[in-house]
Amino acid sequence: MILPIYTYGQAALRAENKPVERNCPNLQQLIDDMFETMYRAEGVGLAAPQVGLSVQLLIIDADAVSKNHPECKGFKRVMINPEILEHSKETVSAEEGCLSFPDIHEKITRAQQVKVRYFDADFVEHEETFADFNARIVQHECEHLAGGVFIDNISPIRRQLNKSKLNRIVKGAISCDYKIKPIKK
């Protein structure tokens, strides 16, 4: 089932997110629905807060961008209760977008490499190091689980330059090719 994506201005994107419990009911259905939603929206990652759920769950399938980022070929993960253990000192700046911020793209500086501990859909624990664009995607999605969003990383000047776009999102005056959750007035 395709879920509506929550957009900028909705409390779900800033909420405190609780760990997912091992016996969480309907977890596999939620994961399947999140993948279906992400694919429909042509995204490469989606965090539970983006579909209105305050839990520490994210999904990634970056294969669609592997032409420009070969390291993304076959990069598909379900991450439950992820924790970034280490950030490299080396950083990389690149343009990012977000399904919760239609039509906004900004250059964001992130660690070039991260080490992450997480559980997969079967609650098997993993510890992996991700680099380059894969690291960027993981950091972006983990940021959602901490109540952050990618525009938190831009300068006040860049935020001001995006103010009219942000206001249009909050007012619901946007057009998307995917299902979004309207902001209640």
Side-chain angles (χ1 to χ4, degrees):
M1 173 174 63
I2 295 175
L3 305 168
I5 294 175
Y6 285 60
T7 55
Y8 175 70
Q10 304 218 36
L13 295 178
R14 297 294 192 177
E16 182 179 335
N17 297 288
K18 295 178 173 71
V20 175
E21 299 295 327
R22 189 175 297 271
N23 59 353
C24 178
N26 304 314
L27 179 60
Q28 189 57 55
Q29 184 62 54
L30 172 60
I31 291 167
D32 294 344
D33 291 348
M34 286 178 65
F35 272 112
E36 186 178 354
T37 299
M38 182 188 71
Y39 292 141
R40 174 63 181 89
E42 298 181 1
V44 295
L46 188 66
Q50 292 180 276
V51 293
L53 301 171
S54 297
V55 296
Q56 296 176 11
L57 167 66
L58 65 87
I59 59 155
I60 296 170
D61 188 345
D63 207 49
V65 296
S66 63
K67 184 176 180 182
N68 294 326
H69 304 281
E71 70 275 16
C72 293
K73 184 75 176 161
F75 181 50
K76 183 175 181 178
R77 299 286 187 284
V78 172
M79 294 184 172
I80 297 170
N81 305 331
E83 177 186 2
I84 296 178
L85 304 172
E86 296 175 16
H87 292 83
S88 66
K89 289 184 170 124
E90 300 80 23
T91 59
V92 179
S93 293
E95 189 172 279
E96 286 185 27
C98 181
L99 296 175
S100 295
F101 291 79
D103 298 325
I104 295 180
H105 294 85
E106 282 294 328
K107 194 171 229 180
I108 305 295
T109 301
R110 297 204 186 265
Q112 188 269 333
Q113 187 171 293
V114 291
K115 183 177 184 179
V116 182
R117 179 184 306 128
Y118 67 94
F119 294 93
D120 64 21
D122 296 317
F123 268 88
V124 174
E125 187 173 338
H126 297 267
E127 205 170 279
E128 283 187 87
T129 299
F130 302 102
D132 305 318
F133 207 74
N134 292 342
R136 175 170 299 281
I137 297 167
V138 169
Q139 290 171 86
H140 178 110
E141 299 307 329
C142 283
E143 191 168 61
H144 279 296
L145 301 183
V149 291
F150 87 114
I151 63 161
D152 295 342
N153 301 302
I154 63 176
S155 70
I157 291 170
R158 292 299 312 160
R159 188 181 291 256
Q160 187 64 33
L161 290 170
N162 280 295
K163 191 172 184 173
S164 65
K165 288 181 181 179
L166 292 170
N167 285 337
R168 281 198 303 276
I169 294 171
V170 170
K171 291 176 183 172
I174 54 173
S175 175
C176 292
D177 292 338
Y178 50 90
K179 185 177 180 181
I180 61 171
K181 174 84 173 167
I183 295 177
K184 292 183 178 164
K185 308 278 186 221

